[in-house]
Amino acid sequence: MEQAEKAVEEEADKVKKKEKKEVFRAKRRIYKTLSQDYLPRLKKYENQLATFGDRNSYSKTDTDATFMRMKEDHMKNGQLKPGYNVQAGTENQFIIGYSIHQRPTDTRCFEPHFQKLQAADLPFPNTIVADGGYGGETNYKYAKKEGFDTLIPYNTMRKEQSRSFKKDPSQVMNWEYKEEGDYYICPNGRKVPFQFHSHRTDRYGYTRAFKVYECEACTGCPIKEKCTKAKGNRRVYYNPAYEQLKKEARESLWCDEGAQIYAKRKVEVESVFGHIKGNRSFRRFSLRGIDKVNIEFGLVAIAHNFLKQAEWNRLFHRGNKLTTKKPRRKINFFVVFPF
Ligand code: SF4
């Protein structure tokens, strides 16, 4: 920007000396537009881009806040509002870790949330329980790399159990697979053999590897409309790494122990969420800026934990006499939820 401004000024000086009046006026108009309109606007856009970071929006009144879809949608039109994504982990309904994010998607908050927890030297949970919003390839891989167990469904896991999904001819999961020749048999009885490897990099720089299968011939297929929208043959993009992780997720959630722990997620975490938002009406931050918001939610979390402890004391003690055995505090699971 500064270099461009300097070049414009130098050029204007040259024009004054050498060129005729009309040419000078025409050029001056251009230089004026550049210096008074385009260059200041460029500077403004550069500043805005720096504020954006890796986000795609920000609020003018609180530049740290990002526009997100909120659960509270009074107008029922999916209105976007500036906010922060609060992630909190609980154990026995005590908040044992929280983090504030500027990203609206929960999937991308999982890793930074646990990085913060690891950096804090707090006792780390043995098993992470979280809902389907966190079940992405990157999160499963991260958990595996860090060596903690997870009970996290992926977003289509429940759908895959439905009768309509199991009857859907377009779903590759319902097709027969022949390992020997590395091909599928589609519902029309045609071969869908492996063709080539493909890679896709998302906007955050994560690369996924796919095996691409293509049907031999889809022409004249009676169920083509149901099977694919492609004009040519049906192609199947299969991600072996993610499919393996999904299989592991299913196995861990469907075993008796996993199912029991996962069932606790609702009473464990949703009640914390309900107390803070519903009973204590904490629905909006009073402060602006991510640092202040971080402190504000910290105070809310401390208040919640004090009240929870007071309630425990009331339930388990009468006078100074312990009437019921207090459960042993052992961190065996940790639940992440979007606030
Ligand atoms: S559209 Fe192609 S892949 Fe799909 S069922 Fe028909 S022949 Fe098989």
Side-chain angles (χ1 to χ4, degrees):
M1 264 282 300
E2 280 164 11
Q3 277 174 4
E5 264 179 333
K6 212 175 163 186
V8 166
E9 275 167 23
E10 280 171 9
E11 193 63 22
D13 287 344
K14 276 186 214 165
V15 168
K16 270 183 217 170
K17 287 168 199 166
K18 290 177 191 168
E19 294 189 35
K20 286 182 186 165
K21 222 173 184 180
E22 305 87 62
V23 182
F24 168 68
R25 276 182 188 157
K27 284 198 172 177
R28 195 175 59 180
R29 263 200 306 279
I30 297 168
Y31 297 143
K32 206 174 164 187
T33 319
L34 264 174
S35 60
Q36 290 181 3
D37 184 15
Y38 294 173
L39 291 177
R41 265 203 278 164
L42 180 65
K43 203 166 199 168
K44 192 177 105 188
Y45 297 152
E46 279 176 352
N47 290 340
Q48 284 174 339
L49 279 172
T51 312
F52 272 118
D54 68 346
R55 299 178 285 164
N56 56 10
S57 67
Y58 69 82
S59 162
K60 280 184 185 173
T61 50
D62 177 3
T63 51
D64 286 346
T66 313
F67 278 87
M68 308 175 184
R69 270 184 224 293
M70 302 285 170
K71 280 179 186 163
E72 284 164 4
D73 182 15
H74 304 295
M75 311 253 286
K76 304 249 181 269
N77 61 356
Q79 196 188 12
L80 297 167
K81 290 174 188 164
Y84 296 90
N85 191 349
V86 180
Q87 300 289 323
T90 68
E91 192 245 339
N92 288 336
Q93 297 182 354
F94 284 87
I95 297 175
I96 56 168
Y98 76 91
S99 54
I100 311 287
H101 302 265
Q102 293 170 296
R103 300 162 177 174
T105 45
D106 293 332
T107 325
R108 291 188 62 236
C109 297
F110 184 85
E111 208 175 313
H113 178 76
F114 285 102
Q115 279 167 353
K116 189 186 169 192
L117 194 71
Q118 279 171 321
D121 280 341
L122 286 167
F124 207 76
N126 297 336
T127 307
I128 310 292
V129 185
D131 69 27
Y134 301 87
E137 187 183 338
T138 46
N139 293 343
Y140 286 138
K141 275 191 180 168
Y142 170 74
K144 225 175 177 181
K145 195 180 102 204
E146 294 299 317
F148 48 75
D149 297 335
T150 51
L151 287 172
I152 309 173
Y154 48 90
N155 50 7
T156 56
M157 193 165 153
R158 186 183 272 231
K159 203 175 145 197
E160 282 170 13
Q161 301 315 306
S162 67
R163 203 180 296 173
S164 57
F165 185 94
K166 285 178 182 167
K167 282 185 181 172
D168 188 349
S170 69
Q171 297 299 336
V172 183
M173 273 183 89
N174 302 330
W175 295 4
E176 192 186 338
Y177 175 66
K178 299 279 183 189
E179 208 171 341
E180 223 171 77
D182 194 10
Y183 65 88
Y184 286 94
I185 307 276
C186 77
N188 194 28
R190 301 214 173 130
K191 262 188 175 183
V192 186
F194 167 72
Q195 298 291 345
F196 57 91
H197 288 280
S198 155
H199 292 85
R200 281 184 198 162
T201 305
D202 64 20
R203 58 188 283 223
Y204 309 110
Y206 184 77
T207 305
R208 289 174 174 83
F210 293 90
K211 281 176 88 176
V212 183
Y213 295 80
E214 189 173 324
C215 181
E216 285 174 334
C218 291
T219 41
C221 171
I223 54 165
K224 192 176 176 193
E225 264 184 29
K226 278 186 189 169
C227 184
T228 181
K229 284 178 188 153
K231 280 181 189 162
N233 296 333
R234 164 91 193 253
R235 270 189 179 178
V236 173
Y237 285 80
Y238 181 81
N239 180 344
Y242 188 35
E243 291 303 326
Q244 176 59 30
L245 292 164
K246 277 161 75 175
K247 191 175 161 231
E248 287 169 19
R250 281 196 296 270
E251 282 168 1
S252 60
L253 279 158
W254 287 348
C255 73
D256 286 347
E257 198 194 346
Q260 266 178 13
I261 298 176
Y262 190 76
K264 283 186 192 171
R265 197 199 71 84
K266 287 177 220 153
V267 280
E268 170 64 44
V269 77
E270 299 294 348
S271 60
V272 174
F273 165 77
H275 277 308
I276 294 176
K277 278 185 92 173
N279 300 347
R280 287 171 214 135
S281 302
F282 184 76
R283 292 170 177 274
R284 284 186 181 207
F285 288 109
S286 310
L287 303 173
R288 290 177 193 176
I290 192 162
D291 294 335
K292 289 179 190 171
V293 163
N294 200 8
I295 294 168
E296 191 176 347
F297 191 78
L299 293 172
V300 170
I302 291 169
H304 171 84
N305 286 351
F306 278 162
L307 287 165
K308 184 62 46 191
Q309 186 62 50
E311 185 67 9
W312 272 39
N313 293 348
R314 196 182 66 78
L315 282 174
F316 295 112
H317 293 77
R318 277 213 187 110
N320 289 329
K321 208 175 155 197
L322 194 67
T323 51
T324 315
K325 204 181 169 206
K326 193 174 171 180
R328 191 160 58 95
R329 183 166 164 76
K330 178 182 166 242
I331 294 183
N332 62 351
F333 70 94
F334 186 87
V335 184
V336 184
F337 74 105
F339 184 69

